[in-house]
Amino acid sequence: MPGRGNRVRVVSEDSSVNLELTTSDPGEKHRGYGSHLTLGKMETVQPGLNIQYYNQGLDLDEEAEVSGAREMYQDSDSVEKRYQSDDYGRDAKHGNIDDSSVRIEIRDMGHEGSSNFTTSTLHKCKKEVLRPYWHLLALVGWRALNKESIFAQSLQWRIVNALYTSTVIALLLYSYSYEVLACEWKLDVKLCSGQCPFAQKVLETTWAPLLENETSMALHNGTEQEFVSGLLNMKNNFTMKYRSKSELWHAENPACDHIITTYIIPNILHIIAYIIGFYHFRVQENEQLDALMEKVFLQATTVQARTASQQKMIKTQRHFLIIGGIWVFCSGLLQCLYMWAFDFPKMPIFENFHASTEVILFSLEIIGRAVFDSVILAIVMNFVTQCEMIKFYVRGLVMRLQEKSTDLKTAMKDMLMLRQSLSQLNGIISKMTTLVGVILAELTVIGVFLLLINKNSTPKMWAYRALFPVAWAFMLSLPLYQAARVNSICLRIKKVSLEMRVFGYKGASLLDLDSFMQFVHHTKLKAKLFHINVIPSHLIFSSIFSAFVLLILIQTSNIGPDNLFI
């Protein structure tokens, strides 16, 4: 059947690879053995493609775009091509050439034997750093599931992605509501310094004065039943006489005080950060982190020392991801510790529910809280990772200037790219980090004060109160620490420019050195959080000042119990 065959066009995701494969069958009753293969445009094929194509007797003009091509690489000798004929279960005795199939595989050789260290290291970095982060984005609904597949745009996967994203948003909204209704974490400074179950508040404010002032009225009967009945009657009389409407409402409807500042405002900030991240990563499909990582790795040469530093950087990024995962897990354990410390507190809204229903509701809250913390982790890890990339890039630039291995014009171009990367860092990512930073800072401050004024001496309560501020302060310190290190290391460029002006630079006149020094000093290289420059000295001063303020408040007995050994 002449004129029948297939042509497959392989196009990479960035359109840097264009490969055409044309197959045709030489005979009408041939079962696919000995098929002709024509390769075209093989000049830019990388030995890293993993492509499979099945010839099932389609028309010659039909084209298929196969996803999965890697970056362009100037070597096509090591591409492995395998041609294998296969029959899909039809009887070959019928002589129908439509039963023939040709499978073509161009598989990844794993960059074995490649002399390009940057290519292999970048491939490893994408595999070990970027892909886990992409999984984190997909977990919170900021990246489509199965995005890298050729079937990602099919109707089935669109429905799956829509349902999954809706589920994530529903879990977040459920977590917000559960926090308010259950007064989660018990963050009321006045009420929650002791046992903090709200029945205890009603007992102290109602029965303690009753037993002190009106005990004689309750003991005039001799039987126990009449005594209890008299207590209940006098409790109602005392409540109506001596309590205001506001106190009576709190007794009948125990709930959290300061709901707006403790729960509603942080949850609003969190959902705003989630919406911004959804638009930034899912709608715009922003790949700022990917592009920065490629620029940073490609600016390094194939020198073994710098390759080792790349490996060290990959190791650091993997440690960030591992620590972030441990933090989310520990946050879930902290929530279980909270339930245990307060003896599984119940709210009136849950009193009519069955015990199994309460377990289900709490399990959903655990899952929703994990998503809540994963959103914070995704934002913080993006900011922290970009800061680490920028630090690596600045170190390479400073090293080249100190070694005098680059010219001034190239150094100026590198600084412009560095300023552009910092501007992108200070944009959407910095704003989202600021929003979650406010949440983390509030939880840290409230946790510290609750720890200092805690009056419950049980070990489990002290353990919960002590670990609560530590968990949130740790995640708050990561972006602050990284931003401070970026600003600190960027100051090295100014120091190097002064040394170059004093000691000279190869092939550069004094006028060129003056121009370079002015350019460096007028280029703003600052990482920002909370819309302010995070300077290491300012950060250290703020920490010391806050510690001294707490010390003065404790020593003057304004906060904390009197018997606190501090």
Side-chain angles (χ1 to χ4, degrees), residues 397-398 415 418 490-497 520 525:
L397 176 59
V398 171
M415 288 195 61
L418 176 61
C490 285
L491 294 176
R492 296 185 185 179
I493 301 179
K494 294 184 178 181
K495 295 179 181 179
V496 171
S497 66
V520 169
L525 303 175

Side-chain angles (χ1 to χ4, degrees), residues 377-432:
L377 177 63
I379 296 173
V380 172
M381 293 310 299
N382 191 296
F383 185 88
V384 168
T385 303
Q386 290 197 46
C387 287
E388 191 70 21
M389 296 291 175
I390 291 174
K391 287 191 305 179
F392 184 79
Y393 187 82
V394 173
R395 285 183 183 140
L397 176 59
V398 171
M399 181 182 297
R400 292 194 298 271
L401 290 175
Q402 290 176 341
E403 294 175 351
K404 296 181 174 59
S405 59
T406 184
D407 56 281
L408 296 182
K409 185 176 181 180
T410 303
M412 289 182 180
K413 292 180 179 179
D414 293 338
M415 288 195 61
L416 286 177
M417 190 172 67
L418 176 61
R419 187 183 67 174
Q420 181 182 3
S421 300
L422 283 171
S423 299
Q424 294 175 350
L425 177 66
N426 295 331
I428 299 296
I429 298 300
S430 178
K431 291 180 174 61
M432 290 193 297

Side-chain angles (χ1 to χ4, degrees), residues 286-435:
N286 189 282
E287 297 181 353
Q288 176 181 331
L289 179 61
D290 307 5
L292 178 61
M293 183 174 293
E294 291 182 1
K295 284 191 290 187
V296 170
F297 273 84
L298 292 177
Q299 63 93 27
T301 61
T302 58
V303 181
Q304 182 64 28
R306 297 187 182 180
T307 305
S309 63
Q310 289 179 0
Q311 300 294 336
K312 181 180 179 180
M313 183 178 176
I314 294 176
K315 186 177 180 180
T316 302
Q317 300 305 319
R318 292 184 62 187
H319 287 170
F320 283 155
L321 292 173
I322 294 174
I323 292 173
I326 294 175
W327 178 79
V328 173
F329 178 74
C330 291
S331 179
L333 293 181
L334 182 64
Q335 193 169 17
C336 297
L337 179 61
Y338 146 74
M339 295 293 292
W340 179 56
F342 287 98
D343 298 323
F344 303 95
K346 293 183 178 181
M347 297 297 293
I349 192 174
F350 300 139
E351 288 181 354
N352 298 327
F353 293 162
H354 194 266
S356 60
T357 305
E358 292 186 13
V359 173
I360 294 175
L361 293 177
F362 181 72
S363 301
L364 289 176
E365 167 60 14
I366 291 290
I367 299 174
R369 194 69 194 185
V371 176
F372 183 98
D373 296 334
S374 297
V375 172
I376 296 179
L377 177 63
I379 296 173
V380 172
M381 293 310 299
N382 191 296
F383 185 88
V384 168
T385 303
Q386 290 197 46
C387 287
E388 191 70 21
M389 296 291 175
I390 291 174
K391 287 191 305 179
F392 184 79
Y393 187 82
V394 173
R395 285 183 183 140
L397 176 59
V398 171
M399 181 182 297
R400 292 194 298 271
L401 290 175
Q402 290 176 341
E403 294 175 351
K404 296 181 174 59
S405 59
T406 184
D407 56 281
L408 296 182
K409 185 176 181 180
T410 303
M412 289 182 180
K413 292 180 179 179
D414 293 338
M415 288 195 61
L416 286 177
M417 190 172 67
L418 176 61
R419 187 183 67 174
Q420 181 182 3
S421 300
L422 283 171
S423 299
Q424 294 175 350
L425 177 66
N426 295 331
I428 299 296
I429 298 300
S430 178
K431 291 180 174 61
M432 290 193 297
T433 309
T434 298
L435 291 174

Side-chain angles (χ1 to χ4, degrees), residues 427-448:
I428 299 296
I429 298 300
S430 178
K431 291 180 174 61
M432 290 193 297
T433 309
T434 298
L435 291 174
V436 300
V438 172
I439 301 173
L440 297 172
E442 181 183 7
L443 293 174
T444 302
V445 172
I446 294 177
V448 169

Side-chain angles (χ1 to χ4, degrees), residues 1 17 42 54 61 64 67 71 87 155 179 204 233 311 351 357 359 386 389 437 441 444 463 470 477 479 510:
M1 195 177 290
V17 178
M42 288 292 294
Y54 298 93
D61 294 331
S67 175
E71 295 79 5
D87 190 83
L155 180 60
E179 281 185 351
E204 293 176 356
N233 292 332
Q311 300 294 336
E351 288 181 354
T357 305
V359 173
Q386 290 197 46
M389 296 291 175
T444 302
V470 172
S477 63
L510 293 179

Side-chain angles (χ1 to χ4, degrees), residues 185-354:
W185 305 116
K186 298 296 182 286
L187 301 179
D188 194 298
V189 176
K190 292 184 178 180
L191 300 179
C192 298
S193 58
Q195 293 288 344
C196 193
F198 289 97
Q200 181 73 16
K201 175 189 175 183
V202 177
L203 178 63
E204 293 176 356
T205 58
T206 302
W207 288 99
L210 176 64
L211 294 177
E212 292 178 2
N213 301 328
E214 304 186 21
T215 305
S216 59
M217 297 176 61
L219 297 176
H220 69 281
N221 294 322
T223 63
E224 181 179 357
Q225 182 177 3
E226 293 177 348
F227 173 73
V228 174
S229 178
L231 286 178
L232 292 176
N233 292 332
M234 282 181 291
K235 177 258 180 184
N236 294 330
N237 295 332
F238 178 82
T239 301
M240 297 301 297
K241 290 180 181 179
Y242 298 101
R243 304 192 67 186
S244 64
K245 293 182 179 180
S246 176
E247 292 175 341
L248 181 62
W249 186 90
H250 278 286
E252 296 176 351
N253 304 277
C256 301
D257 289 340
H258 311 291
I259 295 176
I260 294 179
T261 55
T262 306
Y263 296 103
I264 295 180
I265 291 180
N267 290 337
I268 291 176
L269 296 179
H270 189 272
I271 196 63
I272 290 175
Y274 182 84
I275 293 173
I276 295 175
F278 184 86
Y279 179 77
H280 184 70
F281 293 105
R282 184 72 173 270
V283 178
Q284 289 187 334
E285 296 185 353
N286 189 282
E287 297 181 353
Q288 176 181 331
L289 179 61
D290 307 5
L292 178 61
M293 183 174 293
E294 291 182 1
K295 284 191 290 187
V296 170
F297 273 84
L298 292 177
Q299 63 93 27
T301 61
T302 58
V303 181
Q304 182 64 28
R306 297 187 182 180
T307 305
S309 63
Q310 289 179 0
Q311 300 294 336
K312 181 180 179 180
M313 183 178 176
I314 294 176
K315 186 177 180 180
T316 302
Q317 300 305 319
R318 292 184 62 187
H319 287 170
F320 283 155
L321 292 173
I322 294 174
I323 292 173
I326 294 175
W327 178 79
V328 173
F329 178 74
C330 291
S331 179
L333 293 181
L334 182 64
Q335 193 169 17
C336 297
L337 179 61
Y338 146 74
M339 295 293 292
W340 179 56
F342 287 98
D343 298 323
F344 303 95
K346 293 183 178 181
M347 297 297 293
I349 192 174
F350 300 139
E351 288 181 354
N352 298 327
F353 293 162
H354 194 266

